[in-house]
Amino acid sequence: MTPRRPRDIGTAAETAVVRYLVANGWPTAERRSLRGAADAGDITGTPSVCWEIKGGDAARQASDLTINRWMAELDAETFNARAQHGVLVVQRAGVGPANAGRWWAWMTAAQLTTLAIQAPADIRGCTGWPVRMLLADAVNLLRAAGYGDPEPDDLDADTYPGDYDLDACQPGDLTAVPYRTSRADTTTVHLPDHDIT
């Protein structure tokens, strides 16, 4: 059997997501024609939402670094599409195109929060939906919200935690926010930005 070309793999993944969207509230969704440098995502016909779709082995085996790179790509495409929201859809291992609704959907924490607030009360009550993030991101989110040990006294209260640039934090950027893991050991970590599904 001849290996499939990356373009064919991408087309198959995009087609699977389009079929899912058409059947679930976006009847005008369709694959977008290539736009070159001004890429605006893989799917059109979904006003205010930009979609970046990744399939095949690259998606099924994607590392955190790869996801971060794809999220940066999605950010640029969302801007180019003049969309309010961007969603990265990544094919899961063991889940084929017929079940694209079970593939991973990645978005920023800020976007997830905005959508949850905008949703009707009956959906907001569905707090049992799983949200996937790195343990480091969950710990930092909890610490920023005041959980865990209090911050060490030797950190300047005027610069932590409010004066760092959250927009500069990138997933996996372990240099963005000072944080002491124990009284004797200092390291750095970051707050969540993209690692939420």
Side-chain angles (χ1 to χ4, degrees):
M1 182 173 150
T2 305
R4 292 172 53 192
R5 298 179 311 167
R7 187 174 196 164
D8 296 337
I9 292 168
T11 297
E14 292 163 15
T15 300
V17 172
V18 164
R19 287 181 180 146
Y20 183 80
L21 293 174
V22 166
N24 289 280
W26 280 283
T28 60
E30 62 184 26
R31 291 185 59 243
R32 183 185 300 275
S33 300
L34 295 177
R35 289 181 49 169
D39 192 356
D42 295 323
I43 296 173
T44 189
T46 60
S48 298
V49 182
C50 179
W51 303 88
E52 177 64 20
I53 315 303
K54 300 295 182 180
D57 287 341
R60 291 187 291 267
Q61 299 167 8
S63 67
D64 294 338
L65 182 62
T66 300
I67 295 294
N68 294 342
R69 190 177 71 245
W70 289 341
M71 287 298 293
E73 183 180 319
L74 173 64
D75 189 53
E77 292 172 357
T78 301
F79 177 81
N80 291 342
R82 293 178 170 68
Q84 293 176 341
H85 301 287
V87 182
L88 169 64
V89 179
V90 179
Q91 184 176 9
R92 291 175 56 192
V95 183
N99 292 301
R102 294 184 48 233
W103 291 0
W104 296 125
W106 297 81
M107 61 181 66
T108 65
Q111 181 177 302
L112 178 64
T113 302
T114 300
L115 291 170
I117 291 168
Q118 292 174 349
D122 60 328
I123 295 294
R124 282 197 307 265
C126 294
T127 57
W129 291 351
V131 176
R132 178 179 172 174
M133 67 178 75
L134 297 176
L135 173 60
D137 293 335
V139 167
N140 288 313
L141 181 60
L142 289 163
R143 290 294 304 273
Y147 296 91
D149 285 344
E151 292 300 322
D153 295 335
D154 59 338
L155 284 177
D156 182 354
D158 293 331
T159 60
Y160 185 80
D163 289 344
Y164 49 84
D165 182 5
L166 281 177
D167 291 332
C169 292
Q170 295 297 314
D173 175 6
L174 301 180
T175 62
V177 179
Y179 168 77
R180 190 177 285 260
T181 57
S182 71
R183 302 285 181 218
D185 178 37
T186 301
T187 188
T188 52
V189 292
H190 74 286
L191 290 175
D193 185 31
H194 290 99
D195 290 325
I196 292 190
T197 58

